[in-house]
Amino acid sequence: MALSMKDTFYISHGAPTLAIDESIPAKHFLQSWKDKVFPPKPKAILVISGHWDTSFPAVNIVHRNDTIYDFYGFPDAMYKLKYPAPGAPELALRVKELLMGSGFKRVDEDRERGLDHGAWVPLMLMYPEADIPVCQLSVQSKRDGNYHYNLGKALAPLKDEGVLIMGSGSTTHNLRALRMVDGIVPWALEFDTWLKDALLQGRYEDVNCYQEKAPHAKMAHPWPDHFYPLHVAMGAAGENAKAKLIHHSWQLGALSYASYQFNSAS
């Protein structure tokens, strides 16, 4: 019988160089994952990454995941990294079944896509053996927070089937605003603090409607693709879940690596 996963997670994956840059604190946080953050070994992992954005929900159905280098102009070492995790075709079809059973009328199957860097960069640090089957589910950036929260709600049964549900994005994600500066720019700090308070106080409805409720929402997320993985993790945990800030660091003045755990144990 599969170990029940009572927790879902939202990981801020920051820049792709997280995989190789020892100066980024989040790298060491993710490397401590199995020892200090989440010791249970999942049967499979479902990643909702901000780097796969489609019109309708889509799952990748492959037997072995290729490593996708969906970034440009980075050090050559980045393009030599591999994360050959097994695919999770059964999980992919189960995700499709759950979503369609919850009123999502169309769920596409991608039988070629591997793992984008929103999935493989953090997983390479968390589970370096690459021995756990991984499936990805896409986001729909033209939809809203409530839609993605409901997407997550539909996936909640997976937790009792031994599946780790992980959203991978960035708590703030305005790449044009990144600068080599000392300290944190005020708009980023205000948005990040608002989100932390809302999550820790269980104000999930406010987070679903963040575009109206949060300060500097459009500045923090000019495009919402990196934020919606949070809503999926939140929805999968359930409305009574307790949120916990499990890592917090900054890079380039405005890039927050805040990461959250949602515990749904009663």
Side-chain angles (χ1 to χ4, degrees):
M1 184 171 169
L3 186 68
S4 180
M5 299 280 130
K6 294 296 184 191
D7 305 83
T8 66
F9 293 89
Y10 174 68
I11 302 299
S12 288
H13 64 250
T17 47
L18 175 69
I20 60 171
D21 188 344
E22 294 292 335
S23 73
I24 300 176
K27 179 177 194 282
H28 304 285
F29 156 67
L30 291 171
Q31 286 175 320
S32 75
W33 185 263
K34 290 188 292 183
D35 292 333
K36 296 181 179 175
V37 184
F38 195 68
K41 184 175 181 177
K43 175 183 168 187
I45 302 169
L46 176 64
V47 180
I48 303 91
S49 164
H51 289 282
W52 192 15
D53 187 359
T54 56
S55 297
F56 300 94
V59 288
N60 72 322
I61 302 182
V62 295
H63 290 286
R64 177 70 56 181
N65 281 296
D66 289 331
T67 306
I68 302 173
Y69 305 102
D70 50 340
F71 44 79
Y72 307 94
F74 283 86
D76 288 347
M78 290 296 305
Y79 302 95
K80 293 177 179 155
L81 297 173
K82 301 275 185 200
Y83 191 74
E90 289 178 10
L91 171 58
L93 292 172
R94 177 72 172 131
V95 168
K96 180 171 182 173
E97 175 189 36
L98 288 170
L99 292 179
M100 295 192 80
S102 296
F104 292 87
K105 294 189 171 20
R106 174 175 165 181
V107 179
D108 293 336
E109 301 177 7
D110 190 323
R111 294 183 174 268
E112 295 183 357
R113 185 183 176 89
L115 301 178
D116 61 58
H117 81 268
W120 68 260
V121 166
L123 288 177
M124 172 175 265
L125 302 171
M126 296 158 68
Y127 299 104
E129 300 82 4
D131 60 350
I132 301 173
V134 182
C135 168
Q136 275 198 236
L137 170 66
S138 64
V139 295
Q140 289 73 65
S141 64
K142 292 183 178 171
R143 306 302 294 259
D144 63 8
N146 277 304
Y147 168 93
H148 286 86
Y149 184 85
N150 288 327
L151 202 70
K153 273 176 75 172
L155 300 172
L158 295 176
K159 295 180 298 181
D160 289 329
E161 298 166 21
V163 176
L164 177 63
I165 299 172
M166 178 181 116
S168 177
S170 204
T171 297
T172 54
H173 195 252
N174 186 335
L175 301 184
R176 292 181 179 178
L178 302 184
R179 302 282 186 276
M180 296 293 285
V181 295
D182 292 326
I184 304 153
V185 296
W187 64 260
L189 183 60
E190 286 173 34
F191 178 88
D192 184 84
T193 301
W194 176 88
L195 178 66
K196 180 184 72 173
D197 291 344
L199 289 174
L200 298 189
Q201 292 164 16
R203 293 189 283 114
Y204 300 144
E205 202 160 308
D206 284 356
V207 179
N208 284 345
C209 302
Y210 80 98
Q211 282 152 320
E212 294 83 41
K213 303 271 190 182
H216 317 293
K218 194 70 176 170
M219 191 72 178
H221 290 279
W223 200 244
D225 49 7
H226 273 56
F227 203 45
Y228 287 156
L230 167 70
H231 296 85
V232 180
M234 217 164 61
E239 59 188 27
N240 296 318
K242 297 280 185 249
K244 178 183 176 186
L245 179 66
I246 52 173
H247 177 75
H248 202 191
S249 58
W250 291 87
Q251 189 180 14
L252 298 172
L255 188 63
S256 171
Y257 280 89
S259 296
Y260 291 90
Q261 176 176 13
F262 298 94
N263 182 278
S264 51
S266 55

